[in-house]
Amino acid sequence: MPRHARARAIAVTVAVAAALLGVPGVSIAAASPLSALRRVFARELNAGGGSNGALVVDMNTGQTLYSYKANVGRLPASNEKIYTTSTALLRFGPDATLQTTVYGVGTLEPDGTFEGSLYLHGGGDPSFGSTGFDDYFYGRNVTGATMQSLVAQLVHVGIKSVTGDVYGDASYLDAAQGTSPSHFRASFDLGSPLSALDYNRGWLDSSGNYFQANPPLYAAQQLVLALRAAKVKVPRSHASTATTPAGAQTLATVSSPPMSTLIALTNTPSDNFFAETLIKDLGARFGGRGSTAAGAAVVRAEVASEFGLHPKIYDGSGLSYSDSSSPADIVTVLEKMAGDKDFVDSLAIAGKTGTLEERMVGTDADGQCRGKTGTLAAVSNLSGYCLARDGHTLVFSILQNYVSPDVEHGLQDAMAEALVRYNAPTTAPTPGP
């Protein structure tokens, strides 16, 4: 390996290792030879049947430690989010935010009366909601983009009453509330109806069992209630939906958490709603239209130009059965994103957080691996990074189709444990089946 390439590989490994070692309670696991790693993968990968592929690369040496049908495309399921979130980071930047704005068409009189109407314009922020909802579901670091903050700004500029209507405007993204598997209707697989203006994810209760049929209308109604709670007079039953007219004045605006936080809220719990909203946001900003198709085209273009790959990408979450990726595709992206701390930190930690919180608990892999799961009815995937005993960072992808996810989780965990026990041999390894 050329000196500059090896130096880069070591620097990337240090970044990933630092993210893994920063987890409380993490300890270096016991050593195990390369032959044990290959033996575990050969045994576990096909133990549950199905159509499987896997690839493991040592990022310190650049060597392939294990490869089995690594170039065969399979359903990625939620491993698709690796493409969506890496593109969001690269295109938007980690500090970018999404705005929700109240516009006014009218005049603010000296007595505090706004003679005109208000327009609540959604900018595709999936975290927008009430302070209590965001605090409970996402944590205190995302409570800035709230309805209460918007209303506080309206009060601050002197608005004491509104004579006109209050409108919800979701025109920034298209009106499809779902993706192709649900025939573009809202579905429980997404967890929420898709809209440029979702308030509390469009949920009617905290369980998420009931969706609001018209998210922008619901958000406008909630703005009316929040205004009244702040002692601002609003006419009764005057919430509706409409597109904000040209020339409307900005009265208040709130920003989402930075993109680095939004992708963490996507990847760690594997949130389909966040992923599908973000891909529409990519379409709106960079693809000419706020649709799933436009956003997917942006992701495909980015993956091709940035990583030299051409997987089949048709949505943001991986629910589509038209998606197809190979372990080699996913490992390539993970390798090139390994130096991006925001991306690495967005992945779930084995035994600690998100979709891996209850997996590998108390094993050698507990706290030593960060990964992205992927599950459909007959699909079970796991890709990510593990910190081996010798300090090397191993990047891997395990894609399994036509399998029982419940069975495969345990087999994948055993493979991850073998990665953590790996101790680099003194001679260069060769790929093994």
Side-chain angles (χ1 to χ4, degrees):
M1 177 184 289
R3 182 178 300 173
H4 70 278
R6 181 172 177 80
R8 180 183 179 277
I10 292 173
V12 166
T13 291
V14 169
V16 178
L20 289 166
L21 288 173
V23 179
V26 168
S27 61
I28 299 299
S32 179
L34 174 62
S35 59
L37 183 153
R38 290 177 173 170
R39 188 165 55 248
V40 171
F41 268 74
R43 182 182 68 235
E44 308 292 359
L45 184 63
N46 295 298
S51 174
N52 311 307
L55 179 63
V56 180
V57 175
D58 184 331
M59 291 190 62
N60 286 65
T61 64
Q63 297 296 321
T64 296
L65 305 183
Y66 184 87
S67 179
Y68 179 78
K69 297 185 178 179
N71 292 302
V72 177
R74 291 182 173 81
L75 290 171
S78 282
N79 273 207
E80 186 87 346
K81 296 182 178 72
I82 291 171
Y83 298 121
T84 305
T85 55
S86 60
T87 299
L89 271 180
L90 294 169
R91 284 295 186 104
F92 282 109
D95 299 322
T97 57
L98 307 169
Q99 281 64 51
T100 304
T101 304
V102 176
Y103 292 98
V105 176
T107 304
L108 179 58
E109 301 298 332
D111 66 353
T113 300
F114 188 82
E115 292 284 354
S117 298
L118 304 180
Y119 292 81
L120 177 61
H121 180 272
D125 175 10
S127 75
F128 178 67
S130 68
T131 301
F133 184 94
D134 281 6
D135 188 19
Y136 180 79
F137 283 96
Y138 308 130
R140 294 184 180 277
N141 60 325
V142 301
T143 55
T146 66
M147 190 73 81
Q148 285 79 3
S149 180
L150 279 175
V151 170
Q153 292 179 46
L154 295 174
V155 171
H156 181 73
V157 300
I159 295 178
K160 296 179 180 178
S161 65
V162 178
T163 62
D165 295 334
V166 175
Y167 297 99
D169 178 2
S171 61
Y172 182 66
L173 304 179
D174 71 6
Q177 293 187 6
T179 56
S180 57
S182 65
H183 304 286
F184 299 98
R185 295 191 293 267
S187 75
F188 287 104
D189 287 335
L190 284 177
S192 304
L194 300 177
S195 174
L197 181 57
D198 267 303
Y199 175 84
N200 289 356
R201 301 178 66 108
W203 290 358
L204 290 173
D205 67 346
S206 60
S207 70
N209 290 327
Y210 301 96
F211 297 155
Q212 175 53 243
N214 189 334
L217 174 61
Y218 180 56
Q221 292 167 339
Q222 295 303 310
L223 175 55
V224 170
L225 293 176
L227 286 167
R228 289 173 180 160
K231 310 302 182 185
V232 177
K233 297 180 180 179
V234 184
R236 289 188 175 276
S237 302
H238 276 244
S240 186
T241 60
T243 301
T244 305
Q249 60 181 308
T250 301
L251 299 177
T253 188
V254 292
S255 298
S256 73
M259 192 58 60
S260 57
T261 298
L262 291 179
I263 71 153
L265 292 171
T266 302
N267 281 336
T268 299
S270 199
D271 193 312
N272 293 332
F273 168 64
F274 268 65
E276 294 298 351
T277 302
L278 287 179
I279 204 168
K280 285 193 176 191
D281 291 333
L282 285 165
R285 183 72 65 89
F286 306 106
R289 186 165 186 259
S291 67
T292 300
V298 172
V299 175
R300 288 194 297 271
E302 186 69 16
V303 169
S305 63
E306 188 71 21
F307 309 122
L309 303 174
H310 301 279
K312 295 179 181 178
I313 298 171
Y314 292 98
D315 67 352
S317 65
L319 288 172
S320 173
Y321 281 80
S322 297
D323 297 328
S324 179
S325 300
S326 70
D329 289 338
I330 293 172
V331 164
T332 297
V333 176
L334 291 174
E335 283 185 294
K336 295 197 175 185
M337 293 300 294
D340 190 316
K341 186 176 185 299
D342 291 320
F343 177 79
V344 174
D345 287 350
S346 76
L347 302 176
I349 304 170
K352 306 296 182 188
T353 63
T355 55
L356 292 179
E357 182 176 7
E358 298 181 359
R359 292 177 60 177
M360 295 170 261
V361 176
T363 71
D364 290 332
D366 190 337
Q368 298 281 58
C369 298
R370 284 184 180 267
K372 184 72 209 69
T373 57
T375 306
L376 291 172
V379 176
S380 184
N381 304 324
L382 180 64
S383 303
Y385 312 95
C386 285
L387 182 63
R389 180 185 184 275
D390 55 15
H392 288 203
T393 296
L394 308 185
V395 58
F396 70 97
S397 179
I398 303 166
L399 302 185
Q400 302 183 282
N401 292 181
Y402 308 108
V403 295
S404 168
D406 291 340
V407 170
E408 298 304 334
H409 287 171
L411 303 178
Q412 292 165 5
D413 294 352
M415 287 183 269
E417 292 162 32
L419 297 179
V420 173
R421 291 192 297 268
Y422 171 71
N423 190 27
T426 55
T427 58
T430 56

